[in-house]
Amino acid sequence: MPIVYAQHRPATLQQVRMHDYQAMCQAILKGDEQAADAAGMQHVRNVREAIVRRLGAPAGGEA
């Protein structure tokens, strides 16, 4: 996944990451493996959606 971060750096993606990382950390700190796994999978979906929105946005615009 690091290549995704190197290629796609819009501010909206940073916001997605921070929100998702918080959810993952909270689940880990609670010792909830299933919630941590679900949060990790949701993070991948969220990043994918943010990139797709950005690629579909008009030139020069951030989605």
Side-chain angles (χ1 to χ4, degrees):
M1 210 51 157
I3 190 75
V4 170
Y5 299 140
Q7 291 177 339
H8 303 280
R9 294 180 181 242
T12 53
L13 192 54
Q14 181 66 19
Q15 292 170 347
V16 167
R17 285 187 200 126
M18 290 299 107
H19 177 267
D20 292 349
Y21 292 167
Q22 286 179 330
M24 287 185 272
C25 286
Q26 288 174 357
I28 291 166
L29 291 173
K30 289 180 184 177
D32 189 341
E33 282 183 49
Q34 290 180 334
D37 187 49
M41 289 187 290
Q42 184 62 50
H43 170 66
V44 172
R45 287 190 294 272
N46 291 344
V47 168
R48 183 184 307 127
E49 289 173 11
I51 291 169
V52 168
R53 280 194 308 270
R54 173 141 168 86
L55 292 176
E62 282 199 5

